Amino acid sequence: QFVESGGGLVQPGGSLRLSCAASGSIFGRDAMGWYRRAPGNPRQLVARISSGGAPYYVDSVKGRFTISRDSAKNTVYLQMNSLKPEDTAVYYCNTYPLGGRSWGQGTQVTVSS
């Protein structure tokens, strides 16, 4: 139901744009979130966007990350700028709040020099 892409290896200060394709039955009515799981840590919300396009960011990414959605493509994006080593994680998308939908495979983001 969710297919994430766009991760990779980037140097500190670099940028990446993540994409998440969701099935139309989910995308149209639900708020969507980007989550991440760093090694040794639980999966945590990074940003979310309402069905109407209102964004929310956790403090650690505010001003650096931008979440957006394209309803025509059933896709949600996460533009990540000024990346830091602590942003290293596997990134996932899902509904917000979580509603029992299966997780996708995620996309690995590694920030390292």
Side-chain angles (χ1 to χ4, degrees), residues 60-112:
S60 60
V61 307
K62 204 171 291 184
R64 300 188 298 121
F65 290 10
T66 302
I67 189 171
S68 61
R69 62 193 294 163
D70 185 334
S71 296
K73 297 181 178 180
N74 293 340
T75 300
V76 60
Y77 303 98
L78 187 67
Q79 177 67 44
M80 306 187 297
N81 299 327
S82 302
L83 282 161
K84 303 176 180 180
E86 51 263 42
D87 295 317
T88 295
V90 180
Y91 285 71
Y92 305 84
C93 70
N94 209 313
T95 60
Y96 181 87
L98 295 174
R101 303 284 185 180
S102 298
W103 293 96
Q105 82 287 353
T107 186
Q108 174 71 49
V109 172
T110 302
V111 185
S112 175

Side-chain angles (χ1 to χ4, degrees), residues 36-75:
R36 69 185 179 189
R37 181 161 60 194
N41 291 316
R43 190 155 30 202
Q44 297 178 323
L45 178 72
V46 174
R48 67 177 191 257
I49 187 166
S50 71
S51 57
Y56 164 85
Y57 305 95
V58 297
D59 286 345
S60 60
V61 307
K62 204 171 291 184
R64 300 188 298 121
F65 290 10
T66 302
I67 189 171
S68 61
R69 62 193 294 163
D70 185 334
S71 296
K73 297 181 178 180
N74 293 340
T75 300

